[in-house]
């Protein structure tokens, strides 16, 4: 991995977490501050209800925050929506767009995802754009055409590479305990890098490509050590400080080796 791509381990809490869960966020903060997360950049995406309190709790510390979704407009008559500007105001530096649960539960299309990515960029956030195929698409040999289509349709034309993160999340691996083979992950990440080079000529090497889908302490070293895998988007295992820190800790040894 080129030095300029600092690994990123991001936790997606989904619709989990009450006020009492701030204690878990404090435990993650303390673990990262104590060096238990290696040299990776650490970002947590709690539910919007906890974002501001979590960001205040960790102010000045080593953890960044993100939203899990954003509206397209900056403000206005959109009951229930949260704008990218609001996320930024609450302490976010990132926003996830195009997560497969949003695509499935809310019918989000690639063009809506692109508008949300543009909204995140407009607000000054970095965007974590999720792509991934279903099991049926993989079994039909359509995984690469599916994700390249999502990438082509969901990326705003003028996206700055420095504020773009791609998360490859096979839908069938999310929350299932099943992961693709390391060979399949490496092949997809290499393919995504090639497609990024096509869409952002000369900039693809800057963009971090995360793997997401049932990452746990037991498989993190293997998955995150693959070529073109620049970190992880972690769902279930990010809810427990000990598991999340163990996942991020895989970067301890490799970064020490590469910088030394
Ligand atoms: C996710 O939803 O982004 C995710 C990767 O979930 P899990 O780690 O639980 O599979």
């Amino acid at each position: 991995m080129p030095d300029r791509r600092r690994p990123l381990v991001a936790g997606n809490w989904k619709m989990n977490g009450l006020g009492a869960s701030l204690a878990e966020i404090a435990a993650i903060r303390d673990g990262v501050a104590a060096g238990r997360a290696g040299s990776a950049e650490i970002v947590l995406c709690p539910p919007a209800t906890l974002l501001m309190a979590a960001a205040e709790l960790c102010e000045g510390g080593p953890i960044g925050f993100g939203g899990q979704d954003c509206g397209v407009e900056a403000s206005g008559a959109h009951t229930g929506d949260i704008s990218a500007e609001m996320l930024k105001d609450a302490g976010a530096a990132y926003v996830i767009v195009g997560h497969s649960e949003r695509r499935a539960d809310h019918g989000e299309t690639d063009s809506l995802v692109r508008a949300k990515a543009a909204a995140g960029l407009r607000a000054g956030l970095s965007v974590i754009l999720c792509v991934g195929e279903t099991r049926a698409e993989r079994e039909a040999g359509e995984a690469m055409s599916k994700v390249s289509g999502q990438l082509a349709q969901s990326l705003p034309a003028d996206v700055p590479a420095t504020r773009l993160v791609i998360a490859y999340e096979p839908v069938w691996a999310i929350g299932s305990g099943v992961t693709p083979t390391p060979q399949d992950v490496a092949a997809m990440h290499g393919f995504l890098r090639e497609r990024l080079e096509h869409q952002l000529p000369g900039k693809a090497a800057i963009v971090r490509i995360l793997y997401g889908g049932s990452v746990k302490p037991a498989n993190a070293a293997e998955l995150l050590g693959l070529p073109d895998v620049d970190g992880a988007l972690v769902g279930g295992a990010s809810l427990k400080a000990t598991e999340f820190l163990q996942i991020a800790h895989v970067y301890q040894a490799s970064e020490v080796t590469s910088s030394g």
Side-chain angles (χ1 to χ4, degrees):
M1 182 188 307
D3 288 346
R4 61 185 177 279
R5 285 207 312 267
R6 184 182 178 202
L8 169 63
V9 179
N12 172 16
W13 275 28
K14 312 191 187 198
M15 198 173 71
N16 295 296
L18 301 174
S21 315
L22 290 170
E24 209 62 35
I25 292 178
I28 294 173
R29 174 201 62 196
D30 294 346
V32 174
R36 286 171 58 205
S39 52
E41 179 182 354
I42 305 296
V43 168
L44 285 176
C45 303
T49 48
L50 290 183
L51 188 55
M52 189 175 271
E56 282 175 7
L57 185 70
C58 299
E59 201 175 343
I63 304 182
F65 288 92
Q68 299 175 10
D69 175 49
C70 65
V72 171
E73 308 297 336
S75 63
H78 302 286
T79 302
D81 284 358
I82 294 170
S83 73
E85 281 77 1
M86 290 168 169
L87 294 174
K88 185 160 168 76
D89 184 57
Y94 286 85
V95 63
I96 298 171
V97 297
H99 192 282
S100 61
E101 288 155 10
R102 302 256 357 138
R103 293 177 189 261
D105 296 353
H106 300 276
E108 293 197 4
T109 60
D110 287 338
S111 65
L112 179 58
V113 172
R114 185 173 65 242
K116 289 186 171 195
L121 295 170
R122 178 194 65 217
L125 301 176
S126 292
V127 167
I128 302 175
L129 169 67
C130 300
V131 296
E133 82 285 357
T134 63
R135 179 169 284 291
E137 287 161 345
R138 175 155 286 273
E139 284 171 359
E142 294 166 358
M144 286 180 173
S145 60
K146 175 63 183 280
V147 299
S148 63
Q150 287 177 322
L151 203 60
Q153 302 302 316
S154 318
L155 267 190
D158 51 354
V159 60
T162 49
R163 286 165 57 206
L164 174 66
V165 176
I166 304 296
Y168 168 55
E169 299 208 303
V171 177
W172 50 276
I174 294 178
S176 64
V178 179
T179 58
T181 64
Q183 291 78 5
D184 284 344
V185 173
M188 184 60 88
H189 280 238
F191 174 72
L192 282 166
R193 183 88 53 207
E194 273 173 38
R195 297 316 303 160
L196 280 170
E197 185 55 35
H198 181 73
Q199 286 189 244
L200 305 170
K203 306 276 178 53
I206 299 168
V207 178
R208 289 174 293 183
I209 306 178
L210 312 184
Y211 169 76
S214 295
V215 176
K216 327 184 238 290
N219 61 21
E222 182 171 47
L223 291 167
L224 305 192
L226 294 167
D228 280 309
V229 176
D230 305 317
L233 182 55
V234 184
S238 70
L239 293 167
K240 289 266 169 279
T242 46
E243 287 189 37
F244 189 57
L245 291 166
Q246 278 172 37
I247 290 168
H249 190 263
V250 303
Y251 286 110
Q252 191 101 326
S254 59
E255 289 300 299
V256 168
T257 307
S258 67
S259 63

